[in-house]
Amino acid sequence: MKYLVTGGAGYVGSVVAQHLLEAGHEVTVLDNLTTGFREGVPAGATFIEGDIRDAAKWLDASYDGVLHFAASSQVGESVVRPEKYWDNNVAGSLALLGAMRDAGVPKLVFSSTAATYGEPEQVPIRETAPTRPTSPYGASKLAVDHMITGEAGAHGLAAVSLRYFNVAGAYGAHGERHDPESHLIPLVLQVAQGRRESISVFGDDYPTPDGTCVRDYIHVADLAEAHLLALTAARPGEHLICNLGNGEGFSVREVIETVRRVTGHPVPEVVAPRRGGDPAVLVASADTAREKLGWNPSRADLAGIVADAWEFAQHISRER
Ligand SMILES: NC(=O)c1ccc[n+]([C@@H]2O[C@H](COP(=O)([O-])OP(=O)(O)OC[C@H]3O[C@@H](n4cnc5c(N)ncnc54)[C@H](O)[C@@H]3O)[C@@H](O)[C@H]2O)c1
Ligand SMILES: O=c1ccn([C@@H]2O[C@H](COP(=O)(O)OP(=O)(O)O[C@H]3O[C@H](CO)[C@@H](O)[C@H](O)[C@H]3O)[C@@H](O)[C@H]2O)c(=O)[nH]1
């Protein structure tokens, strides 16, 4: 099969593109390199440096589907620059869906997020939970989910939205890398490497056992496997929404402690003010993904996830 992977020079997109290639598919990556890296695109994929808003230039009926990762994805930034999120995520996805419709591309797998739920009433969070995002990022992703539901109903698109919880870990040469770094695990690893003095803990007065935010960390390779299953499960005219997480929450402090244990290095921490837009707790029920996709994540251990991320962090700093 032939797939377009938007955002395939970024963290999750590059790992999924690599899995698609390993499964024998033909892959084209479309990425404007705003947060991704040219060297992140897996060998064997065709690369187009371009924007999803111009997808019509490249999409044609030879594609069997699109895996849509390209987005702006930082919760905190979205609170201070909401317009960027409406433009890139919502207007960008609208253009992409239009290009798919015009070209007759039948299938879509979309990177949605736990951030669509906001502060949950019940944990673990099921897909039927209320969607009340606490950040413009989450709101923009929820808007795209609604757009996709309409597209499936009106025009027969076969679609799956995968609501990732916190993606972590690495897969071979592909791992989490942003410049400047913005995500918790790679930042804590930079402290362990001595590249940063300390990690800021954004708020220690949340209603959680140790006062810091709790997240459900999912290995990027488990996540990638769900995308391949979603391509098989997608049905014309239907929009399936599945959470992807391990169902276990770890606090910011527990993540920092795990990094100390795995790396054997000291990690000084400093309590800082809360970051805008952060819910206190996000933990998934992934029962729908297990039932509808046949997904069976096998890399749930946080220390193992951190160890893979650590190996990747060491690899990229040797390259610098
Ligand atoms: N990392 C996580 O924990 C997480 C959790 C939930 C959802 N997601 C979603 O998964 C997707 C991938 O996230 P990531 O962590 O790999 O981020 P990333 O920033 O590493 O990757 C995003 C990629 O999209 C590209 N891009 C952005 N806007 C574009 C545009 N207009 N046209 C073409 N390319 C564009 C960037 O250059 C980058 O390569 C995003 O949609 C994000 O919202 C990520
Ligand atoms: O220097 C830091 C960085 C982060 N955090 C905290 O660590 C937690 C995790 O933060 P981060 O790694 O930035 O991830 P999230 O903000 O939880 O968002 C990720 O996970 C979401 C799903 O839960 C996705 O939608 C987003 O795209 C993805 O960035 C949050 O409580 C942050 O406030 C800190 O305390 N210090």
Side-chain angles (χ1 to χ4, degrees), residues 10-12 31-32 34-36 51-52 69 88 137 141 167 178:
Y11 171 39
V12 182
D31 198 300
N32 66 6
T34 46
T35 56
D51 198 288
I52 49 170
F69 300 90
N88 202 30
Y137 164 64
K141 287 279 176 172
V167 191
H178 302 103

Side-chain angles (χ1 to χ4, degrees), residues 110 112 116 141-149 161 163 239:
F110 172 61
S112 187
T116 54
K141 287 279 176 172
L142 182 61
V144 179
D145 276 341
H146 286 312
M147 221 186 263
I148 294 170
T149 303
S161 285
R163 289 192 171 155
H239 180 205

Side-chain angles (χ1 to χ4, degrees), residues 73 75 113-115 137 164-166 182-184 187 199-202 213 215 217 252 275 278 282:
S73 67
V75 172
T113 166
Y137 164 64
Y164 318 156
F165 283 60
N166 286 55
S182 42
H183 287 65
L184 181 65
L187 280 169
I199 184 75
S200 298
V201 175
F202 294 149
C213 287
R215 295 288 181 272
Y217 293 87
V252 170
R275 191 179 66 175
D278 278 341
L282 289 173

Side-chain angles (χ1 to χ4, degrees), residues 62-196:
S62 69
Y63 285 95
D64 296 290
V66 172
L67 295 101
H68 177 30
F69 300 90
S72 302
S73 67
Q74 292 177 38
V75 172
E77 182 193 56
S78 80
V79 175
V80 290
R81 288 189 65 195
E83 65 286 2
K84 175 176 172 183
Y85 284 72
W86 293 108
D87 181 25
N88 202 30
N89 296 358
V90 179
S93 298
L94 187 65
L96 178 67
L97 281 174
M100 289 179 66
R101 193 186 319 122
D102 291 346
V105 180
K107 205 178 271 191
L108 175 73
V109 177
F110 172 61
S111 304
S112 187
T113 166
T116 54
Y117 295 110
E119 202 67 71
E121 282 168 8
Q122 279 187 333
V123 174
I125 304 171
R126 301 186 66 91
E127 293 81 358
T128 48
T131 41
R132 291 186 293 238
T134 50
S135 67
Y137 164 64
S140 72
K141 287 279 176 172
L142 182 61
V144 179
D145 276 341
H146 286 312
M147 221 186 263
I148 294 170
T149 303
E151 194 68 26
H155 303 298
L157 183 71
V160 181
S161 285
L162 298 174
R163 289 192 171 155
Y164 318 156
F165 283 60
N166 286 55
V167 191
Y171 183 69
H174 304 284
E176 189 166 9
R177 180 177 172 193
H178 302 103
D179 194 11
E181 191 45 70
S182 42
H183 287 65
L184 181 65
I185 291 179
L187 280 169
V188 182
L189 291 174
Q190 288 186 357
V191 181
Q193 285 177 315
R195 294 175 52 208
R196 272 174 198 273

